[in-house]
Amino acid sequence: MKFRTGGKRLSFKPASPQGLIRCNSGADSKVWMGEGNYFKAFFRPLGVMCLAYLCPEDCFRALFVLKREIHFSQDGGQLRGENIYYMQMALETAGKALGRTSPNPMVGAVVVRDGQVVGSGYHARAGTPHAEVHALREAGAKACGATLYVTLEPCCHHGRTGPCTEAVIKAGITKVVVAMEDPNPKVAGKGVKILQNAGITVETGVLEEQSRRLNEVFIKYISTRLPFVVMKTAMSLDGKIATASGESQWITGPASRAMVHRLRDRYDAILVGVGTVLADNPSLTTRLSEGGGKDPVRVVLDSRARTPVDAQIITQSSHSPTIIVTTSDAPRVKLQQLSDAGAQIMQLSADDNGICLHELLCKLAEREITSLLVEGGTRVNGTFINSNLVDKVCWFIAPKIIGGHAAPGPVGGIGITALADAMKLSDISLQRYGEDIGIEGYVAKRGE
């Protein structure tokens, strides 16, 4: 790869290019990152034309070139460039805890003094020190008079840990650059005001969109007290998730299935219908090639308690529980058998679609389950979509044609009669997984 800046040509040789960055004078630009990266980066007018392919290990080297080699022509451009550079570093640092901080957000922090990074850190998991504390500890005495870059407004309340605002003030930080305001009502601008009242200069909104995307799960959960719902499905080119006989393993290839396990590692819980349990006897665990994965909580929609007591989701060894969601139609004897076998029972009310999904999401949120990966079949997917409960979709498409009127598609239910009522996606991204194509997009909720 070659990267041109200021008359100099630098060469990088990434093993597997995963993204594209193009910075045009007078225009915004996006960095589309592949697996292992957690955000899009936006670079406003930099006064140059640049083109580079980036992989994760080359990201900061290329950004370093942007910061150090480009001559900014606009007033304040150099300062803005530095803010972007160090905030990008903080975002990357925050992403190291992907899938590990629930119900807390992912946060990264970088301490900079005299143009040098003297401390950095991230929030690893709930109940442990926050990113600012880690970064300030690493910086030590060098934090006095330094600038703190943090991806989320420092907290100012006592929770599982003490307020970060106190630590920032005590360390002698003179300026704090914040990506976004904390949507938690306990903070929501209060942390910024405390810092300002202490004489600290505070700048907000630097790479705010990337920070919001990084913490899309936390923002949904803390704002609505409902989990962020992601629907994943895999289908053939002609829109089939199984053959007419019900065979579905495997429609997509190994690369797509490996990505699905990364999704399971990222989100708190996974949901299927009892039909999937009866047909496939899945384990619904996380199996990463490098190991170290986190199993999601397994949730099964089973109004009549048809789940076998010897199903893998119940008998396998896993640190995460299996929740069987039922209604009053379920036989008490069977529920006791499932409970004795190790399953947790959640009995909910029913509506026209079966189990009331909104009530289910509320109950999961009460357990601090902040995100839910729906890996359902035709009926489950259709019910979630018709109930307007999906926030994001991950669609895997294999270059296969199955055919047949009896072969099921990914979304059931009554459907729509007018195209104007179709569920629309925004902010769509595409990724190649072996021979398959992965499509991600965010759902535009009906009525909004």
Side-chain angles (χ1 to χ4, degrees):
M1 161 176 61
K2 295 181 178 179
F3 196 87
R4 184 185 295 278
T5 63
K8 297 182 179 181
R9 183 179 292 273
L10 304 177
S11 296
F12 303 103
K13 296 180 180 180
S16 56
Q18 296 193 25
L20 173 66
I21 170 175
R22 178 164 45 203
C23 303
N24 302 309
S25 177
D28 288 350
S29 186
K30 297 181 180 180
V31 180
W32 294 92
M33 309 305 290
E35 174 60 25
N37 294 271
Y38 318 110
F39 44 80
K40 298 175 188 173
F42 292 78
F43 296 89
R44 296 190 182 277
L46 301 180
V48 294
M49 173 74 77
C50 308
L51 180 65
Y53 285 91
L54 306 178
C55 63
E57 58 267 31
D58 289 315
C59 181
F60 286 127
R61 282 190 287 172
L63 291 176
F64 178 85
V65 172
L66 283 172
K67 173 179 178 286
R68 297 299 184 189
E69 301 297 336
I70 291 171
H71 298 284
F72 295 89
S73 59
Q74 298 184 355
D75 292 340
Q78 181 68 51
L79 178 59
R80 178 173 176 79
E82 289 184 355
N83 284 349
I84 289 174
Y85 171 71
Y86 291 122
M87 189 61 75
Q88 195 84 42
M89 186 181 295
L91 285 164
E92 178 75 7
T93 302
K96 293 178 180 179
L98 184 67
R100 299 297 184 270
T101 63
S102 180
N104 290 354
M106 288 177 278
V107 183
V110 174
V111 180
V112 179
R113 181 173 176 177
D114 299 327
Q116 299 294 322
V117 175
V118 295
S120 66
Y122 64 95
H123 180 49
R125 64 181 64 246
T128 65
H130 290 185
E132 300 94 319
V133 174
H134 284 299
L136 292 171
R137 285 176 179 172
E138 184 175 295
K142 294 180 181 179
C144 185
T147 297
L148 172 68
Y149 292 85
V150 62
T151 59
L152 189 70
E153 176 185 9
C155 68
C156 55
H157 63 285
H158 288 272
R160 289 170 171 150
T161 60
C164 289
T165 49
E166 290 183 2
V168 172
I169 294 169
K170 184 178 180 180
I173 291 290
T174 57
K175 181 178 178 180
V176 176
V177 181
V178 178
M180 65 170 285
E181 181 180 287
D182 192 337
N184 187 341
K186 294 180 179 179
V187 186
K190 299 182 185 72
V192 168
K193 289 181 179 179
I194 289 174
L195 295 177
Q196 290 173 331
N197 291 338
I200 297 174
T201 300
V202 180
E203 182 175 347
T204 61
V206 176
L207 298 187
E208 180 176 356
E209 182 173 341
Q210 294 89 303
S211 182
R212 296 185 70 85
R213 183 57 50 84
L214 178 70
N215 278 310
E216 59 191 13
V217 168
F218 173 74
I219 293 171
K220 165 76 181 295
Y221 172 74
I222 204 69
S223 301
T224 67
R225 289 298 170 182
L226 292 173
F228 186 83
V229 178
V230 180
M231 177 173 289
K232 166 264 162 184
T233 194
M235 70 179 193
S236 63
L237 192 61
D238 58 335
K240 307 295 185 182
I241 63 171
T243 65
S245 65
E247 183 182 355
S248 62
Q249 298 180 350
W250 299 102
I251 290 179
T252 53
S256 292
R257 299 199 298 275
M259 182 59 199
V260 171
H261 282 281
R262 295 201 175 276
L263 293 176
R264 293 180 181 181
D265 182 60
R266 181 180 306 176
Y267 297 117
D268 291 349
I270 182 172
L271 180 145
V272 299
V274 67
T276 297
V277 175
L278 295 174
D280 301 333
N281 191 23
S283 62
L284 302 182
T285 54
T286 297
R287 300 179 294 280
L288 303 180
S289 58
E290 67 273 21
K294 168 184 67 69
D295 288 345
V297 174
R298 294 168 292 277
V299 181
V300 181
L301 299 180
D302 186 4
S303 59
R304 292 179 289 165
R306 293 187 292 153
T307 300
V309 293
D310 60 351
Q312 283 196 85
I313 56 170
I314 295 176
T315 60
Q316 68 192 354
S317 176
S318 174
H319 293 295
S320 298
T322 295
I323 302 173
I324 307 296
V325 185
T326 71
T327 66
S328 57
D329 292 335
R332 292 185 179 181
V333 173
K334 182 61 178 294
L335 292 178
Q336 187 61 52
Q337 292 173 345
L338 289 169
S339 178
D340 292 343
Q344 297 181 10
I345 307 299
M346 181 185 292
Q347 193 167 73
L348 302 179
S349 58
D351 58 18
D352 293 340
N353 295 314
I355 294 171
C356 180
L357 296 181
H358 186 271
E359 183 183 0
L360 169 62
L361 295 183
C362 291
K363 293 295 185 182
L364 293 178
E366 289 175 4
R367 299 187 181 206
E368 294 191 331
I369 292 175
T370 67
S371 56
L372 179 66
L373 180 64
V374 177
E375 288 196 28
T378 298
R379 181 179 178 184
V380 169
N381 289 349
T383 303
F384 266 91
I385 287 177
N386 291 335
S387 300
N388 205 25
L389 296 174
V390 179
D391 297 293
K392 182 179 181 179
V393 300
C394 296
W395 228 258
F396 296 89
I397 304 173
K400 299 175 182 177
I401 297 176
I402 294 175
H405 291 294
V411 181
I414 59 175
I416 59 173
T417 56
L419 286 175
D421 297 328
M423 187 181 80
K424 298 177 178 64
L425 302 181
S426 63
D427 205 3
I428 299 168
S429 61
L430 284 75
Q431 179 74 39
R432 184 82 176 265
Y433 298 100
E435 295 182 343
D436 305 328
I437 297 294
I439 301 176
E440 288 190 1
Y442 293 84
V443 177
K445 297 298 180 69
R446 299 181 183 93
E448 294 184 356

